[in-house]
Amino acid sequence: MLWPLFFLVTAIHAELCHPDAENAFKVRLSIRTALGDKAYVWDTNEEYLFRAMVAFSMRKVPSREATEISHVLLCNVTQRVSFWFVVTDPSRNHTLPAVEVQSAIRMNRNRINNAFFLNDRTLEFLRIPSTLAPPMDPSVPIWIIVFGVIFCIVIVATALLVLSGIRHRRRNNKGLPGLDDAEDKCENTITVENGIPCDPLDTKGGHINDGFLTEDERLTPL
Amino acid sequence: MEKTRPQWGNPLQFVFACISYAVGLGNVWRFPYLCQMFGGGSFLVPYIIMLIVEGMPLLYLELAVGQRMRQGSIGAWRTISPYLSGVGVASVVVSFFLSMYYNVINAWGFWYLFHSFQDPLPWSVCPLNGNRTGYDEECERASSTQYFWYRKTLNISPSIQENGGVQWEPALCLTLAWLMVYLCILRGTESTGKVVYFTASLPYCVLLIYLIRGLTLHGATNGLVYMFTPKMEQLANPKAWINAATQIFFSLGLGFGSLIAFASYNEPSNNCQKHAIIVSIINSSTSIFASIVTFSIYGFKATFNYENCLNKVILLLTNSFDLEDGFLTASNLEEVKDYLASTYPSKYSEVFPHIRNCSLESELNTAVQGTGLAFIVYTEAIKNMEVSQLWSVLYFFMLLMLGMGSMLGNTAAILTPLTDSKVISSYLPKEAISGLVCLVNCAIGMLFTMEAGNYWFDIFNDYAATLSLLLIVLVETIAVCYVYGLKRFESDLQVMTGHALNWYWKAMWAFVSPVLIVGLFIFYLSDYILTGTLQYQAWDATQGQLVTKDYPPYALAVIGLLVASSTMCIPLVALGTFIRNRLKTGGTASVA
């Protein structure tokens, strides 16, 4: 006597949930790609967990707090692991609109992924696009900070070199103002003897004659 | 009181300066491309022959002229013959054009370097589109590295006619690049001599690190085997020989006047023959070394892309036929494909158009050169390495060192004649002249930071130096051998260095090198004439790839102007000197 009821239920089930049904979504899992050796086998218990997660997501929608696990129907489970699912209303006659299911899944995508140790790529809901993570956008782009540091260093180094050059030249000009006039009268080239420049006129006044080496370095100190 | 000419602190500084100048970006991004195009290992044969026959003699000639005349290019050629100081002027003009656009590469290097301090690297991911459901369209069609180069770095316009405005980010980087150059050349040889220790040696350290890393990458051997397998039939291809000669010629940086400038700060007794041989050998070995690194990186990138392609095909088939996850692997792909084709023919024929044919050969065959290699291909390989930020920083630091080293030579070629000239150096100190040159170059360089800037960059890169340099070096060789006199030059060198001049150099300078240069010149001219209108590669954002377009007339006019302004210096200055001399002798004759 129970058999006709059973057949009725499965018939309704098949009517509501079949590939490309109205308001049905296809799900695809790539467990071995994600977990490698630690991959678990997809059995009816995992399916139960999936139905529970979908029901949980629907219960978060304001008007659908009464959704039960039994309202989520799965069908056409393949070896790939892929299957179709629909969510029915409490009367089990109609399926909930796709838009509601879509937004509910999108809101709780992270929880669903984590329940199965998968991510957006390995647990795919076809026709439900996932919200991509926004890139980290610091207020000041990092490259400007690095640029600023290097720019300041270069400017400081350049300024130091230019200023020291100016100071060096000013000291040279101040040190030899009279020398220029005197040396203009004598030869233009400096005569070099034994690698030591000789001043024809002793305009430096009282300096050591470099023609004679100081003997001190030659003698070994006592 | 005559100011003594500044000198290098020691001969090693001179060698390092020459190495730092000659070893530049061309060794990294041009030689591997040529090697790949013209027969891999067998390209080394024409390359080495051209090095011995053309590179070493011409390098020795320039160094000897600079060391003997002890002046920059204009003064040196004026000493050889007053009618030929136009050669020096032409060198300065070409160096000026080169420094204008070359530093833009350094600016891009800085840009990428500063962006390497982020996680993840900005060129490894595409930015999201407006409603955050997918990636930006242009980025999807091209690749993330191409998008970062063409959109974020250049913000390139679809054609050369659409100029756009100056982009402030590359403009900032260009300003920094010129400040860096100014800092290095500020004090003349005193500061340059110390900087070249770094710019010459650091790139080798980085290349060595990259060599070790590159050889240990997965798939590197694929690239190396592909490159070094000699294709002997390419030896019969005249283009291989011409490209070998061209590469040696431009790689050594002959004709710009930089080598003359560097050698003019030498002591007269310096053995420049030894240095010429050392520098040219080091330059060529660096090219070969860099191509080993480049090809191991190519191999890694090609293997990575090939495996990605295979994985995409596997995923497609797994999803279409609902096969078990992990069942399809690269090894059983072919048999499973056959099985599916026979078992589900209708469904397979639906899927078939989407299945791409993955081939390692075609990935390796993509030969790239120039900025595309440095900023797109390399960054694509780097983003797939572990700790990619470190490798990226190292790589762009090396590019900057190479570029800066070459810039030092370029600016020396411009500054040495200016500081030698008594007129200019009596009004302005050395620092001010350098500052003015850098400022003018930076201001004009802003042209290359506009949206169409990269197209103008390509114009300068392809046409500003090529023909002019060949002519300049040809006139140089003829001037030294026949106008100044080979015997006179030989005795000068003997007095200066103390060594007799080997017959080999005399033979090369007098006959072989001029003939080679004339041959190259004729080849280039005929190539330009036969091609008809000149074309360029423009980036099409809607398709996500490069398309070929014709240059508009005003761009062709600019190209003509670039070539003419340097080559015409030689005859114009000769004519001017001739007229001045005639007026002078005519004046004295009328007085007497």
Side-chain angles (χ1 to χ4, degrees):
Chain A
M1 197 176 24
L2 285 171
W3 289 110
L5 203 61
F6 179 70
F7 283 129
L8 192 64
V9 166
T10 47
I12 295 174
H13 182 141
E15 215 178 81
L16 290 175
C17 175
H18 57 89
D20 296 320
E22 197 190 343
N23 301 329
F25 292 96
K26 184 170 183 183
V27 181
R28 199 188 283 149
L29 287 89
S30 311
I31 307 175
R32 190 149 323 147
T33 313
L35 302 171
D37 293 332
K38 301 200 200 84
Y40 48 81
V41 180
W42 186 261
D43 52 14
T44 45
N45 296 327
E46 305 285 344
E47 285 177 27
Y48 191 83
L49 177 59
F50 183 81
R51 290 162 66 207
M53 294 304 296
V54 174
F56 162 75
S57 310
M58 291 312 300
R59 283 165 84 100
K60 291 241 171 156
V61 176
S63 52
R64 302 285 174 199
E65 282 100 345
T67 317
E68 297 290 334
I69 296 183
S70 48
H71 298 154
V72 182
L73 306 174
L74 260 57
C75 50
N76 277 70
V77 184
T78 66
Q79 232 187 346
R80 166 73 179 83
V81 186
S82 68
F83 47 85
W84 291 79
F85 77 93
V86 286
V87 187
T88 62
D89 63 353
S91 68
R92 308 268 187 97
N93 285 332
H94 311 286
T95 52
L96 296 185
V99 185
E100 279 187 34
V101 179
Q102 199 178 49
S103 70
I105 302 278
R106 281 188 83 179
M107 292 291 183
N108 300 289
R109 190 62 187 270
N110 212 21
R111 300 284 296 268
I112 303 177
N113 287 348
N114 284 339
F116 292 98
F117 304 125
L118 300 172
N119 60 28
D120 279 354
R121 213 172 39 87
T122 41
L123 171 54
E124 296 168 79
F125 286 83
L126 302 185
R127 289 194 306 133
I128 302 185
S130 48
T131 315
L132 297 168
M136 203 185 65
D137 221 357
S139 51
V140 180
I142 297 181
W143 78 271
I144 292 212
I145 300 176
V146 185
F147 170 81
V149 167
I150 306 226
F151 193 73
C152 291
I153 294 177
V154 171
I155 293 254
V156 166
T158 311
L160 280 176
L161 274 183
V162 170
L163 286 175
S164 76
I166 293 178
R167 208 165 351 123
H168 190 73
R169 199 168 302 123
R170 208 170 287 164
R171 204 183 312 141
N172 270 355
N173 283 346
K174 222 178 290 184
L176 324 160
L179 202 59
D180 291 341
D181 304 327
E183 289 201 339
D184 270 345
K185 296 189 187 114
C186 53
E187 303 137 34
N188 281 336
T189 53
I190 309 174
T191 48
V192 173
E193 207 160 25
N194 290 337
I196 303 160
C198 311
D199 278 312
L201 288 175
D202 186 14
T203 48
K204 285 196 192 139
H207 280 221
I208 304 168
N209 186 349
D210 287 334
F212 294 99
L213 282 172
T214 46
E215 296 287 328
D216 294 331
E217 295 104 31
R218 292 270 187 83
L219 302 172
T220 46
L222 290 167
Chain B
M1 182 172 105
E2 199 180 287
K3 254 195 308 191
T4 49
R5 191 175 181 77
Q7 279 192 351
W8 298 109
N10 56 54
L12 199 62
Q13 285 186 357
F14 167 65
V15 177
F16 271 24
C18 288
I19 293 176
S20 163
Y21 167 66
V23 173
L25 294 166
N27 300 65
V28 171
W29 74 29
R30 175 94 177 135
F31 180 79
Y33 167 78
L34 288 177
C35 222
Q36 189 177 4
M37 294 295 286
F38 294 111
S42 56
F43 183 71
L44 290 178
V45 171
Y47 188 68
I48 293 179
I49 292 180
M50 285 300 163
L51 171 69
I52 299 176
V53 161
E54 180 200 2
M56 283 189 204
L58 291 175
L59 181 64
Y60 182 30
L61 180 70
E62 289 224 351
L63 291 183
V65 166
Q67 194 171 304
R68 165 74 186 84
M69 305 300 166
R70 296 177 60 78
Q71 291 181 77
S73 50
I74 299 183
W77 296 108
R78 195 183 312 133
T79 315
I80 288 198
S81 158
Y83 293 104
L84 284 178
S85 53
V87 175
V89 175
S91 291
V92 172
V93 170
V94 173
S95 290
F96 186 67
F97 289 149
L98 185 79
S99 57
M100 254 199 273
Y101 78 81
Y102 201 85
N103 221 13
V104 180
I105 307 175
N106 287 333
W108 292 331
F110 272 120
W111 169 266
Y112 269 82
L113 180 68
F114 297 150
H115 277 88
S116 307
F117 290 98
Q118 293 174 12
D119 182 31
L121 289 173
W123 53 82
S124 57
V125 285
C126 276
L128 302 178
N129 61 12
N131 53 2
R132 299 225 192 118
T133 51
Y135 297 113
D136 184 284
E137 257 188 62
E138 189 183 349
C139 196
E140 286 275 281
R141 288 204 203 93
S143 65
S144 53
T145 45
Q146 281 180 314
Y147 176 79
F148 188 76
W149 169 243
Y150 285 111
R151 191 51 49 212
K152 288 287 158 99
T153 311
L154 300 173
N155 197 13
I156 205 166
S157 61
S159 74
I160 198 171
Q161 282 97 324
E162 294 152 59
N163 261 335
V166 172
Q167 317 286 316
W168 66 270
E169 298 105 335
L172 274 183
C173 293
L174 184 64
T175 316
L176 177 64
W178 275 111
L179 273 176
M180 196 73 99
V181 170
Y182 181 54
L183 180 64
C184 298
I185 61 173
L186 184 44
R187 285 284 185 80
T189 46
E190 184 191 317
S191 52
T192 311
K194 302 209 175 37
V195 171
V196 291
Y197 282 129
F198 296 108
T199 56
S201 50
L202 280 178
Y204 287 101
C205 297
V206 177
L207 270 177
L208 191 62
I209 297 175
Y210 253 92
L211 181 71
I212 300 174
R213 172 77 262 223
L215 289 176
T216 54
L217 283 172
H218 166 65
T221 38
N222 291 336
L224 284 174
V225 161
Y226 180 76
M227 172 192 163
F228 282 113
T229 319
K231 301 177 187 67
M232 285 298 174
E233 63 275 6
Q234 284 288 342
L235 280 179
N237 181 1
K239 282 210 157 193
W241 293 86
I242 289 174
N243 274 301
T246 314
Q247 174 62 12
I248 290 276
F249 189 87
F250 291 119
S251 173
L252 286 173
L254 304 164
F256 286 102
S258 315
L259 294 164
I260 297 182
F262 280 154
S264 69
Y265 297 118
N266 267 342
E267 282 186 28
S269 57
N270 183 42
N271 185 359
C272 54
Q273 174 184 293
K274 182 173 71 160
H275 290 151
I277 298 180
I278 291 176
V279 169
S280 48
I281 290 183
I282 290 184
N283 182 46
S284 296
S285 332
T286 311
S287 291
I288 300 175
F289 185 40
S291 59
I292 298 180
V293 176
T294 304
F295 274 95
S296 42
I297 305 263
Y298 263 168
F300 166 69
K301 181 183 97 76
T303 312
F304 188 85
N305 286 345
Y306 171 66
E307 285 175 1
N308 254 6
C309 173
L310 277 182
N311 283 339
K312 281 207 184 90
V313 172
I314 290 177
L315 192 65
L316 177 67
L317 285 176
T318 313
N319 286 344
S320 314
F321 292 96
D322 281 323
L323 305 167
E324 192 186 327
D325 183 30
F327 170 66
L328 258 185
T329 59
S331 36
N332 63 7
L333 182 60
E334 287 304 312
E335 5 172 305
V336 174
K337 267 163 75 171
D338 295 332
Y339 167 73
L340 288 173
S342 52
T343 335
Y344 309 101
S346 54
K347 205 168 178 189
Y348 190 78
S349 53
E350 273 175 33
V351 178
F352 188 68
H354 301 287
I355 299 181
R356 280 176 50 200
N357 244 340
C358 299
S359 146
L360 190 58
E361 282 280 323
S362 65
E363 292 284 338
L364 283 170
N365 258 340
T366 53
V368 195
Q369 59 162 334
T371 49
L373 171 57
F375 294 108
I376 299 180
V377 172
Y378 255 93
T379 47
E380 202 177 307
I382 289 174
K383 78 174 192 230
N384 297 324
M385 299 185 193
E386 289 110 47
V387 201
S388 40
Q389 281 78 8
L390 170 68
W391 298 108
S392 178
V393 168
L394 269 180
Y395 171 68
F396 288 110
F397 185 65
M398 175 188 79
L399 277 194
L400 277 171
M401 287 287 113
L402 290 173
M404 277 295 159
S406 302
M407 276 309 291
L408 295 180
N410 288 332
T411 44
I414 305 174
L415 284 176
T416 309
L418 289 180
T419 49
D420 284 348
S421 139
K422 300 198 177 34
V423 168
I424 299 180
S425 58
S426 58
Y427 281 123
L428 295 170
K430 194 169 39 171
E431 287 92 341
I433 302 180
S434 322
L436 259 169
V437 169
C438 290
L439 190 65
V440 168
N441 270 320
C442 187
I444 302 181
M446 290 295 162
L447 166 75
F448 300 110
T449 58
M450 295 195 300
E451 284 185 23
N454 195 39
Y455 301 128
W456 290 106
F457 174 85
D458 282 333
I459 286 185
F460 271 73
N461 194 18
D462 291 334
Y463 302 109
T466 37
L467 272 180
S468 329
L469 279 182
L470 287 170
L471 189 64
I472 290 175
V473 175
L474 180 65
V475 176
E476 282 185 3
T477 326
I478 294 179
V480 168
C481 290
Y482 300 110
V483 175
Y484 190 75
L486 192 54
K487 288 224 173 343
R488 192 169 148 203
F489 194 60
E490 183 186 351
S491 61
D492 281 348
L493 283 182
Q494 182 138 12
V495 164
M496 197 172 67
T497 62
H499 305 290
L501 192 62
N502 198 330
W503 61 268
Y504 176 72
W505 304 116
K506 285 190 277 192
M508 289 296 130
W509 289 348
F511 305 114
V512 181
S513 301
V515 166
L516 259 175
I517 299 175
V518 169
L520 283 180
F521 196 72
I522 293 176
F523 167 75
Y524 270 104
L525 267 184
S526 54
D527 201 41
Y528 286 150
I529 294 172
L530 284 175
T531 324
T533 76
L534 300 168
Q535 295 180 315
Y536 69 104
Q537 302 279 84
W539 176 253
D540 188 346
T542 50
Q543 286 182 47
Q545 59 182 35
L546 292 167
V547 293
T548 318
K549 290 194 178 166
D550 288 331
Y551 277 124
Y554 67 87
L556 293 174
V558 168
I559 294 177
L561 202 65
L562 277 178
V563 178
S565 55
S566 43
T567 47
M568 285 300 128
C569 284
I570 305 178
L572 281 177
V573 171
L575 194 63
T577 320
F578 180 69
I579 292 178
R580 190 148 49 105
N581 280 353
R582 281 296 288 269
L583 287 176
K584 223 185 279 179
T585 53
T588 51
S590 59
V591 164

